[in-house]
Amino acid sequence: MNAPILIVGGGIAGLATALAAAPTPVLLLTRAREGSDVASTLAQGGIAAPVGDGDTAQAHAHDTCVAGSQHNNPAAVERLTGDAVAAVEWLQHQGVAFDRDPGGALQLGREGGHDRARIVHAGGDATGAKVMQALVTAARRAPHIHRCAGLDVTGLLLRDGHACGVHALDAYGHAERIHGCAVVLATGGIGGLFARTSNPADADGNGLALALAAGAALRDLEFVQFHPTALAVPGLHSLPLVTEALRGAGARLLDAEGRPLMDGVHPLADLAPRDVVARQVWQACREGGAWLDARGIGTTFPARFPTVFAACMQHDIDPRLQPIPVTPAAHFHMGGIAVDTDGRSSLPGLYAVGEAACNGVHGANRLASNSLLEGVVFGRRLGTLLGALPGTGARHGGCTLVRRGPSLDAIRIAGLRETMMQAMGPVRSGKALQAALRQYQAADGWQGELARTLLAAALRRTQSLGAHFLAD
Ligand code: SIN
């Protein structure tokens, strides 16, 4: 029997890879229950694609590179925007019903950094949830996909310098070794390493830590995107997102005095690229707070933005009647495991896709609503590539195991998140980065080692670029 492709992670990138690999057998290894606790499910805005009249892949690529401070890999951007329309069609084929206007045309939203309305969405602001529902259903029906839930992958198996399997712990701490013909890390981002994040706490950089332990190359680690508008709920680590699409629909950011926060800061004002807006909101939060005034959306708010509405009401904020308190939160890692545009890492047999990977498509700052798109475009591409590899039987002997270190305890993880938020937040300084690096210089625990690697990458870049902004 042929060894399966092992895919670690069950978000949009992992599922798109798994579905596209048919009929080659796939074993999908996830920490969480199906479709739950993954960042893809929480995505609100939608999927950017040049489907509107007069829009083109070139215009979408231009906006992607402007947002990315021209640090983008042009080949990856061309692939992303060139395949975007096909990605939307593929999702519809998988069962995603994107929102349409009464005439039947796709409704298009607008978000920061886009020169026009270009975002398809589903269920208003529930795009991630709707997309994941459809892909989880499609994966359940696909006979070539088998799933093992509740597994924490803690190591990689190597034979002759090739990745050939994983080491995992189940919910009871029992260890198992699982062999495959290829290992795909689709483990998502690192938001969980920061004190405030729009990601699930589980998005803790595990895939990055595994690749680091195995000696695979990483790149662009210093570029961490902060979403300017997470709901400011004191004491909460994983914060509800307040989608940028609200600003696309006319909502405005205000400071503590009720003055417009973005006027005169950038020509696109409230719809400036995300790094620019995040810095303004970060500063305003230090000077008394920041609010998003979406009252103009009025009575249509619950129908158009049901996810944000429910989150606000749960915290006794009625966004039809009062501005929403907001704060920046770690949202997306542009850096990751270095891969080519097919998803190959520097370690033979090891692949990465989605937020865990870095093929350079997002440059120094991701354009809004390009992340679900990335998962679909590059996931389908990687799945097709792996599905076409000649089948090999599973060989169980002669492997060496490389493991990430032990986990830090809860108290030390909480400390690490605070340190990372202050040192590697939207506004950084060489001094704060150095102090944080000293703190984690001899840190044990894989999260400490990862923090050290991220901080060292930030220190190596001595000029501001995109999301890496040095105040000094
Ligand atoms: C949002 O809805 O504001 C987030 C979309 C994204 O991360 O691209």
Side-chain angles (χ1 to χ4, degrees), residues 405-421:
S407 193
L408 292 178
D409 63 35
I411 293 177
R412 292 169 75 200
I413 288 181
L416 180 144
R417 288 174 179 157
E418 273 307 331
T419 303
M420 292 299 279
M421 193 79 197

Side-chain angles (χ1 to χ4, degrees), residues 261 277-290 328 426-427:
L261 201 56
V277 185
R279 286 195 287 276
Q280 286 300 114
V281 175
W282 175 262
Q283 191 52 37
C285 286
R286 305 195 143 205
E287 290 165 4
V427 178

Side-chain angles (χ1 to χ4, degrees), residues 43-46 111 225 227 241-245 274 331 366-371:
Q44 294 183 359
E111 291 179 39
Q225 180 173 84
H227 198 290
L241 193 64
V242 177
T243 178
E244 204 160 295
R274 211 169 264 176
H331 185 59
R366 175 174 65 75
L367 180 67
S369 285
N370 268 354
S371 61

Side-chain angles (χ1 to χ4, degrees), residues 93-370:
H93 185 71
Q94 302 303 321
V96 181
F98 289 108
D99 298 332
R100 291 177 180 273
D101 65 25
L106 284 170
Q107 275 178 15
L108 297 179
R110 185 159 176 208
E111 291 179 39
H114 290 272
D115 72 343
R116 68 193 81 194
R118 177 184 284 140
I119 321 292
V120 298
H121 47 85
D125 61 4
T127 309
K130 297 285 182 195
V131 166
M132 284 299 294
Q133 234 168 44
L135 295 189
V136 166
T137 305
R140 252 190 229 146
R141 289 191 186 133
H144 70 289
I145 301 177
H146 299 275
R147 193 165 174 276
C148 285
L151 283 185
D152 187 19
V153 173
T154 56
L156 295 175
L157 299 175
L158 306 181
R159 183 187 298 111
D160 304 330
H162 282 63
C164 61
V166 301
H167 175 275
L169 297 177
D170 70 14
Y172 305 100
H174 298 139
E176 48 180 313
R177 289 179 173 216
I178 306 168
H179 295 263
C181 63
V183 178
V184 178
L185 296 176
T187 45
I190 59 166
L193 294 179
F194 292 80
R196 286 184 294 287
T197 179
S198 61
N199 299 174
D202 226 16
D204 56 6
N206 182 41
L208 218 49
L210 293 171
L212 186 64
L218 311 178
R219 69 177 274 196
D220 286 353
L221 298 183
E222 62 274 36
F223 298 117
V224 181
Q225 180 173 84
F226 287 78
H227 198 290
T229 59
L231 187 63
V233 184
L236 220 60
H237 172 224
S238 190
L239 299 172
L241 193 64
V242 177
T243 178
E244 204 160 295
L246 282 161
R247 280 178 276 137
R252 312 248 9 229
L253 282 159
L254 306 177
D255 68 11
E257 310 297 327
R259 291 178 300 229
L261 201 56
M262 292 306 299
D263 279 5
V265 175
H266 189 278
L268 289 171
D270 290 87
L271 288 175
R274 211 169 264 176
D275 58 324
V276 178
V277 185
R279 286 195 287 276
Q280 286 300 114
V281 175
W282 175 262
Q283 191 52 37
C285 286
R286 305 195 143 205
E287 290 165 4
W291 282 264
L292 185 71
D293 188 354
R295 285 176 293 184
I297 293 168
T299 53
T300 63
F301 200 117
R304 288 175 72 187
F305 300 101
T307 313
V308 178
F309 186 73
C312 288
M313 294 303 274
Q314 198 186 342
H315 294 282
D316 298 325
I317 300 153
D318 187 336
R320 294 167 298 187
L321 306 176
Q322 63 194 111
I324 305 167
V326 291
T327 182
H331 185 59
F332 189 87
H333 196 198
M334 278 68 73
I337 302 161
V339 292
D340 63 15
T341 51
D342 287 328
R344 291 184 196 89
S345 80
S346 64
L347 183 72
L350 183 69
Y351 301 81
V353 68
E355 193 176 347
C358 177
N359 60 22
V361 70
H362 303 302
N365 178 43
R366 175 174 65 75
L367 180 67
S369 285
N370 268 354

